Amino acid sequence: MKKIWKIEEINKLFQKPFLDLIFKAQKIHRKNFTPNEIQISTLLSIKTGLCPEDCKYCAQSSRYKTNIKNEKLLEISKILDAAKQAKQSGSNRFCMGAAWKNPKERDMPYLIEIIKKIKKMGLETCMTLGSINKNQAERLYSAGLDFYNHNLDTSPKFYSKIVTTRTYQERLNTLDIVRNSGMKVCSGGILGLGENTNDRAELLLQLSKLTKNPESIPMNMLVKIKGTPLERNKNLEDFDFIKTIAVTRIMMPKSYIRLSAGRENMSQNMQALCFIAGANSIFYGCKLLTTSNPTKKEDLKLFQKLGLYAKKHIIQSKQNKIQKYKTETQHYNALLK
Ligand code: SAM
Ligand code: DTB
Ligand code: SF4
């Protein structure tokens, strides 16, 4: 049975001495996951910029003058090439993002074709397309979409300071639709928006209150984008980010926690502390959607230094069974040469 958390309990976790908190999180992590194993996903923006939403952190909102190159929906062949590369470099999930408020009916056949083709390559699939309705969720699931990413990002109270073109309730509705369709849920947050510890606790409370804990929880550190209203935000203390990861691990013991945007500005020591606190997933590849990520070489070196290795899935399309196996550290050593 899933524990029902109270906000006071979550705030208490945040107040624990740092070492006690991290130790508790790591113990829980080891009970639920294979230590040293990291799930790796690769991200691709399939439609970039000119988004009608006004998320104050985002390079892709049409409201702000940022330095990105707007791009229409990518050709299928380009997406498949990127997926092939992702697979070759050891990723087991291919995540695609489109800067939409929601997908239109005319986009559906295209999305379905992409999902089917990428699944055939033996990769897990994830998309983030904005709000979706029941019919769209069911069709994406039938095509083979494994995960849908839709973040709650911050607390319900702070949300309206960051986004005004949609409500928190609309986010929750889409998450319900995704869950009921059969797809796995990927939902998390961004830290560094100007929120306080209570907002972080409220975000985690909301995530933990979903019918089932999200299978995947991305935690993003704000990447300050020139031209957006948050470009001059104060830096978040590393320890506040690490503590949030630890509390997430304690509250949602079986969810994968992804150290998502912002890794490029994190030292390797900081990333190692995030892994100790319970993070066990990353985006791998030198680009996120519009911003950069550590290079593959840097990440392979980090994996080698810390003795981490990638979790792999082989999807047997016939029986639709998922067989797990581990790639050994040697595989990474070979790639590094
Ligand atoms: N348009 C879709 C949506 O908003 O649901 C998906 C794409 S959006 C880029 C996915 C997530 O990326 C956001 O919810 C936010 O958590 C994260 N994100 C976007 N811009 C970011 C930034 N500048 N720094 C850190 N995280 C960011
Ligand atoms: C998530 O939580 N983070 C990813 C993914 N889901 C789609 C996106 C990060 C975007 C970072 C900013 C950019 O590259 O534009
Ligand atoms: Fe659009 Fe998503 Fe960026 Fe918001 S976060 S502006 S919805 S692409």
Side-chain angles (χ1 to χ4, degrees):
M1 268 280 282
K2 187 161 74 95
K3 175 172 161 63
I4 314 284
W5 286 87
K6 293 200 186 82
I7 191 71
E8 300 77 32
E9 292 175 290
I10 308 172
N11 278 323
K12 252 195 182 157
L13 286 175
F14 274 103
Q15 284 154 14
K16 265 184 168 304
F18 184 75
L19 298 183
D20 291 350
L21 178 68
I22 304 298
F23 183 62
K24 187 176 168 76
Q26 176 64 199
K27 265 198 305 191
I28 292 180
H29 186 74
R30 281 177 180 249
K31 259 196 206 152
N32 292 285
F33 287 97
T34 313
N36 312 312
E37 192 178 71
I38 304 283
Q39 185 276 325
I40 64 177
S41 295
T42 296
L43 192 54
L44 178 73
S45 179
I46 60 170
K47 187 266 166 186
T48 309
L50 298 177
C51 183
E53 305 276 34
D54 69 351
C55 313
K56 287 201 170 81
Y57 47 79
C58 188
Q60 303 196 67
S61 166
S62 61
R63 313 275 175 119
Y64 319 124
K65 217 173 158 322
T66 62
N67 274 335
I68 59 157
K69 193 171 160 242
N70 299 321
E71 272 191 79
K72 285 196 251 151
L73 266 175
L74 280 187
E75 280 164 42
I76 296 197
S77 61
K78 285 194 180 154
I79 300 176
L80 296 180
D81 283 349
K84 202 167 141 195
Q85 266 191 29
K87 191 175 178 198
Q88 275 166 0
S89 60
S91 228
N92 76 344
R93 190 175 310 154
F94 194 63
C95 307
M96 292 154 276
W100 286 324
K101 185 173 184 64
N102 49 256
K104 305 279 172 312
E105 187 46 43
R106 63 168 184 267
D107 303 316
M108 290 303 289
Y110 164 88
L111 296 169
I112 287 168
E113 190 181 342
I114 295 172
I115 296 164
K116 287 188 173 158
K117 293 206 160 125
I118 294 178
K119 284 290 282 193
K120 264 204 190 135
M121 295 167 61
L123 279 163
E124 288 184 334
T125 51
C126 175
M127 282 185 172
T128 179
L129 314 166
S131 304
I132 49 171
N133 62 36
K134 185 168 179 281
N135 176 272
Q136 289 173 325
E138 283 166 0
R139 283 153 71 197
L140 294 171
Y141 178 61
S142 305
L145 190 61
D146 298 296
F147 288 81
Y148 197 80
N149 167 246
H150 201 68
N151 291 346
L152 289 176
D153 280 327
T154 189
S155 67
K157 205 163 127 216
F158 193 63
Y159 198 73
S160 57
K161 302 250 175 350
I162 301 297
V163 187
T164 68
T165 47
R166 59 176 183 245
T167 62
Y168 209 77
Q169 191 55 50
E170 283 176 71
R171 294 302 265 187
L172 291 169
N173 294 348
T174 297
L175 286 173
D176 254 356
I177 287 173
V178 171
R179 177 58 79 205
N180 294 334
S181 74
M183 280 188 280
K184 295 189 188 109
V185 171
C186 172
S187 185
I190 318 187
L191 308 190
L193 297 174
E195 78 289 346
N196 58 29
T197 310
N198 194 57
D199 292 311
R200 288 172 211 139
E202 289 279 355
L203 162 69
L204 298 181
L205 177 66
Q206 291 295 325
L207 291 170
S208 76
K209 272 173 41 182
L210 297 171
T211 348
K212 205 174 150 201
N213 290 342
E215 282 80 2
S216 160
I217 305 181
M219 278 298 168
N220 299 278
M221 172 82 104
L222 176 72
V223 179
K224 295 179 211 171
I225 312 272
K226 202 160 169 268
T228 63
L230 303 187
E231 71 170 304
R232 283 189 197 89
N233 259 25
K234 213 173 136 232
N235 277 347
L236 186 75
E237 270 271 350
D238 283 355
F239 293 128
D240 288 330
F241 190 89
I242 301 162
K243 275 170 140 181
T244 309
I245 301 253
V247 178
T248 311
R249 169 55 65 230
I250 294 165
M251 291 175 64
M252 291 169 276
K254 292 185 190 302
S255 304
Y256 278 86
I257 302 174
R258 181 169 315 123
L259 196 46
S260 298
R263 272 199 315 119
E264 213 194 6
N265 301 323
M266 293 178 193
S267 67
Q268 294 201 330
N269 297 357
M270 155 75 169
Q271 294 182 58
L273 280 170
C274 290
F275 295 133
I276 296 173
N280 59 346
S281 168
I282 57 163
F283 281 120
Y284 179 65
C286 59
K287 201 166 171 207
L288 294 168
L289 292 174
T290 67
T291 63
S292 51
N293 201 32
T295 62
K296 288 183 187 171
K297 200 162 181 178
E298 278 171 311
D299 276 343
L300 290 173
K301 278 190 185 155
L302 177 65
F303 271 41
Q304 200 179 35
K305 280 186 205 172
L306 301 180
L308 301 175
Y309 59 85
K311 177 188 168 82
K312 273 231 157 205
H313 281 143
I314 302 176
I315 300 168
Q316 296 173 327
S317 48
K318 259 196 186 160
Q319 300 105 317
N320 206 18
K321 264 190 190 165
I322 297 173
Q323 193 194 344
K324 294 176 187 172
Y325 75 90
K326 292 175 193 169
T327 318
E328 301 299 334
T329 318
Q330 284 94 311
H331 169 66
Y332 286 92
N333 294 344
L335 281 174
L336 259 176
K337 278 180 195 150

